[in-house]
Every structure is written in structure tokens, then in C-alpha cells.
Amino acid sequence: MTGDPESQNELLSLLGRRIVLGITGSIAAYKSALLARELTRRGAEVRVVMTPSATEFITPLTLATLVDNPVHSDFTESKEKGTWTNHVELGLWGDLFLIAPCTAQTMSAMVTGACDNLLQAVFLSARCPVMIAPAMDLDMFTNAATQESLHTLRDRGIEIIEPASGLLASGLEGKGRLEEPEVIAEKVVNFFSSSLPLKNKRVVVTAGPTQEPIDAVRYIGNRSTGKMGFALAARLSDLGAEVTLIAGPVALPTPPRVKNRIDIKTAQELYEATIKVWPDMDAGIACAAVADLKPKSVSNVKLHKEEFPEAVELEKTPDTLASMGSSKKANQLLMGFALETDDGIESAVGKLNRKNLDFVVLNTLADDGAGFSHDTNKVTVIKKVGVDTEIRSFELKSKKEVARDLIDILFQIK
Ligand code: CTP
């Protein structure tokens, strides 16, 4: 990695994106190796699916080595063991299905829904957006049938990376050459940044615990790890939001593309950092486990046993979420969390109203696998609807999946 911030940005531009790279039988398949490298160099995780004829132009071993994942080209994985390649799983895994090069034959199959090989089955199963980079000889490209396939596919919402003009393998000169791998990779980067549902949305997320010092080494804290808040920040930035993550002391890396991370220790610091950015935000999610109380006086040296007071006098910390709620503008959305030890609905609804929230997410330590330190959580989302509430309970899920559900609900994505 160079020190140049621009090239670092380029290197990170596809971090966390999952791309299924489809390769079909064209001489331009040799460029797919370079394309796979361009995508992985930018941080994408790539899985390759090839048509049988593509494997005659470039070996699966080359691609598998470049993307560090096995390459799929057959419906059966092992004839001896009777295992098969799960095309549905591949189709669901990807954030994007990119077919480059895409032959006239594959375009035609995509139009008719033919399913003669694994790549076509993955296409039919994919729920993610599909992008194709056609490559073929000049007359094949200009043929009315090919042009009609292109129009139909475009009409169906498939992104087309137009072929470039130049010298073709046949010796003819004209349109049909697979676009250069760097250009395709840049189009993929642009696709992700422009088509995302939360583009232009600014969201502040508070996460993790706070620590309220008693003396130079001791503090009042809690067992929050920040995993839920970081999963929310990750999901938001994956969907294109500009995220400001205000994080207590946690041992977690900043998720890819999170624009701004502010590390804080105390509830007071959390309050100041959040309130400063809140007026410019479209939404706020308060996931931090903030200490409600802090020692009234703090020693700046370590207190020895004999110096320790019999009782530590406490005072309230500022309630960041309540302040966000009281200054909330009509166009701002606010989601808070309520961690309870019992069923907690009543108490959570109390917080929803008292803190002027749009949503409160209840998680209760009464549920196994929910709350602090687990990788899973079980939540109930309570939405304010006029003077009423709407309640939706979810199963125990990974915090990543919970983050998906919560962001979908907050921004009404589905
Ligand atoms: N919160 C906050 N600042 C605080 C305390 C809490 O921003 N000083 C936020 C948390 O991030 C969470 C929500 O408020 O989103 C719920 O916190 P909680 O401490 O349970 O709320 P309280 O109103 O203090 O309720 P309780 O009576 O249960 O302490």
C-alpha cells in the first residue's frame, strides 16, 4: 500500500463487497484474470463461476489462485461423492454478479432463461444486481439478434458495460473488444457508490461502553463490546450512508467506508461529540451502553486502599439520546436501544416516549444469546405511530443480520 491517500482510497473502494465474477467462452477471458486481480486489489471478495467453454480459454486454477476461492464451472462438485455446486447459494452470496466477458450466446440465454450451465443457473438464482461486459467479434456484436438481446437485458435492469472499439481477435477493427479490466473495476466501484439506497444520508451511530473514572486507573463501566453498534455502522456504510461512528473503548476495527470515527471514553465526551454532529444528520442510532452515573469527584492519581472513600458519591451523566430527541427536527429519524433484564416492553415504550424517539430497540438479557458480548442478538422493535406503537419481534440472529433488519426498518428499505 502506498502512502498516497488517493491510491489508498482506491484500494479500499470495494472492501467488504462480494462479487460473483462470471466468465464465458471468449478469447477475452484471458483479461478476466486481470479483472479478478483489479477487484480483489480494491478489497472485494470474489468468487468465480465459469462456463465450460471459458475453461478452454483460461484455467480455473489461474482464477482460483488470484481470488483465493475455489472456482465453480460444473453442476457437480465431485462425481464420486455425489456433491453438487449450490448455484442458489452463490446467487444469494453476491452483492453483484458481474459477467465479463459475456458472449452473445450467454446474453441470448439470459434473455430466454435457458439454463444449460452453472453460470446461467447462478444468473437465474441471483437476487443481486447483474452487470455484463459483452465481448465478441464486430459482426456478431452488430447483428440484430445480439442488439436485441442487449436491449432486452438493459430493459430488464441489467447494467451493460459497453465493449470498447479497437482491433479484434478476428483481425477486424470496431466495437466488440472487452473493456479494459481497470475500466470495468472502476465501473463496479461507481455502481456500488451510485446505486445504493442510503446514498447522501448522514447517520450518527453511538456504540460501545463508556468509562467513568474514579481515579487514575479505576472506572465505572459495563460489559458492552460495541459489536451491535459497529454492525449497524457497517450496514449503513455498505448501503452508501455517510456514517459518523462515536465509539466508546472497544477492540473493534472501523468498518469499511465508515467516514468518520470519533473515539470517546466518558458519557460527557460521548454527549459532546454526538450533539455537535447531530444537527447535520438525517438519522441517529444510539446503541452505546452509556453509564448513567459517574463519580462526583475524580482523583487524578491512583488511590491506595487506605485512601479509598467508604462510599463513592455519584452524579448523573448527560443523557445524549434524550438531548437528541428533544432537539430532533421533523426530517430526522431517531432510534434508541433499551437493554432490560425482564420482558421490558413497558419500560422500552417509556423510553420511546420520554426521549422522543421514532424507534426503540428492546433487547433483554432474559433471552439466551442476546445483549452484551454475544455475536447474536434477539430484538423487538417498537415504532412510534402517532400516539400508538407498532411492535415487531425478531428471532435470535447474528448481530450482522439484526443490523440489516434494523436499518431496513429505520429507512423503510423493504
Ligand atoms: N443513552 C444515552 N445517554 C445516556 C444514557 C443512555 O444516549 N446517558 C441512550 C442509550 O444509548 C440507549 C438509550 O439511551 O439508546 C437507553 O438507555 P437507558 O440507560 O436504558 O435509558 P434510561 O432512560 O436511562 O432508562 P433506565 O431507567 O433503564 O436507566
Side-chain angles (χ1 to χ4, degrees):
M1 210 185 257
T2 71
D4 170 11
E6 276 219 344
S7 61
Q8 286 192 9
N9 267 350
E10 183 199 273
L11 290 179
L12 292 174
S13 54
L14 291 175
L15 202 63
R17 305 293 187 205
R18 294 162 157 192
I19 299 172
V20 180
L21 174 61
I23 305 175
T24 68
S26 150
I27 175 62
Y30 81 91
K31 287 190 185 173
S32 305
L34 301 171
L35 175 59
R37 206 186 57 183
E38 287 297 327
L39 298 173
T40 50
R41 203 169 70 83
R42 287 167 170 79
E45 192 182 344
V46 180
R47 287 171 72 180
V48 175
V49 55
M50 299 173 81
T51 60
S53 62
T55 62
E56 290 174 23
F57 289 95
I58 184 164
T59 73
L61 182 62
T62 306
L63 272 313
T65 310
L66 283 168
V67 304
D68 202 18
N69 265 321
V71 166
H72 308 279
S73 58
D74 215 334
F75 281 111
T76 47
E77 258 170 15
S78 159
K79 289 202 170 83
E80 297 79 45
K81 289 188 199 145
T83 50
W84 58 292
T85 308
N86 190 339
H87 55 272
V88 178
E89 188 269 327
L90 253 180
L92 294 180
W93 175 86
D95 299 319
L96 175 72
F97 186 23
L98 168 67
I99 308 176
C102 188
T103 57
Q105 158 68 27
T106 294
M107 286 200 305
S108 161
M110 289 165 80
V111 169
T112 60
C115 191
D116 301 329
N117 58 44
L118 182 69
L119 184 143
Q120 289 161 9
V122 173
F123 167 69
L124 293 177
S125 326
R127 285 200 200 149
C128 60
V130 179
M131 211 177 218
I132 63 169
M136 64 203 71
D137 202 42
L138 175 65
D139 297 313
M140 288 176 80
F141 185 69
T142 52
N143 187 287
T146 310
Q147 287 301 313
E148 206 168 310
S149 296
L150 265 178
H151 282 133
T152 308
L153 293 174
R154 194 177 277 120
D155 277 353
R156 292 184 190 165
I158 287 167
E159 288 282 324
I160 316 282
I161 300 174
E162 290 287 334
S165 291
L167 188 63
L168 301 166
S170 62
L172 292 177
E173 207 158 337
K175 206 167 172 182
R177 216 169 74 169
L178 181 71
E179 192 44 284
E180 292 309 316
E182 306 87 73
V183 177
I184 298 179
E186 273 319 299
K187 289 195 191 266
V188 169
V189 170
N190 292 340
F191 167 79
F192 275 115
S193 53
S194 65
S195 66
L196 295 166
L198 299 185
K199 193 174 174 264
N200 300 328
K201 292 273 183 230
R202 284 194 266 193
V203 187
V204 60
V205 179
T206 70
T210 64
Q211 295 178 350
E212 309 305 325
I214 301 170
D215 67 9
V217 294
R218 301 177 183 90
Y219 61 81
I220 298 174
N222 60 67
R223 292 187 290 111
S224 165
T225 55
K227 284 180 186 168
M228 190 66 245
F230 274 58
L232 286 160
R235 181 61 183 161
L236 285 162
S237 52
D238 277 353
L239 295 181
E242 193 182 305
V243 178
T244 299
L245 175 58
I246 304 197
V250 293
L252 294 173
T254 309
R257 289 174 297 277
V258 162
K259 180 93 193 258
N260 194 5
R261 170 173 175 173
I262 303 169
D263 288 308
I264 55 89
K265 276 212 171 80
T266 65
Q268 181 66 36
E269 288 167 3
L270 179 118
Y271 175 80
E272 284 165 19
T274 312
I275 292 306
K276 192 167 168 201
V277 298
W278 175 232
D280 298 325
M281 295 290 143
D282 296 292
I285 306 180
C287 193
V290 189
D292 290 316
L293 297 162
K294 64 173 183 176
K296 212 166 182 174
S297 67
V298 180
S299 164
N300 52 14
V301 293
K302 183 189 167 195
L303 294 173
H304 293 288
K305 273 191 286 298
E306 56 281 5
E307 297 163 338
F308 223 80
E310 285 218 342
V312 178
E313 213 185 325
L314 299 174
E315 65 183 356
K316 279 194 176 161
T317 58
D319 189 325
T320 302
L321 182 58
S323 295
M324 292 166 90
S326 63
S327 62
K328 182 160 71 88
K329 294 180 265 195
N331 60 347
Q332 287 180 309
L333 289 168
L334 190 54
M335 180 178 262
F337 273 71
L339 178 68
E340 307 294 344
T341 44
D342 54 16
D343 121 317
I345 294 272
E346 204 180 314
S347 162
V349 171
K351 282 172 200 178
L352 181 78
N353 292 324
R354 212 167 48 247
K355 301 195 188 193
N356 192 27
L357 311 179
D358 301 294
F359 300 89
V360 68
V361 181
L362 166 67
N363 42 179
T364 154
L365 295 178
D367 288 321
D368 283 342
F372 289 165
S373 73
H374 298 286
D375 287 323
T376 50
N377 205 358
K378 184 174 186 307
V379 299
T380 297
V381 183
I382 307 168
K383 178 183 178 182
K384 190 163 195 169
V385 187
V387 289
D388 286 327
T389 51
E390 218 173 78
I391 300 181
R392 211 170 140 193
S393 293
F394 291 85
E395 294 304 305
L396 184 75
K397 295 180 178 192
S398 74
K399 285 189 174 166
K400 266 190 181 173
E401 286 171 287
V402 174
R404 277 177 185 253
D405 290 339
L406 296 181
I407 301 306
D408 284 352
I409 289 181
L410 181 63
F411 289 101
Q412 298 184 332
I413 291 174
K414 274 183 245 164

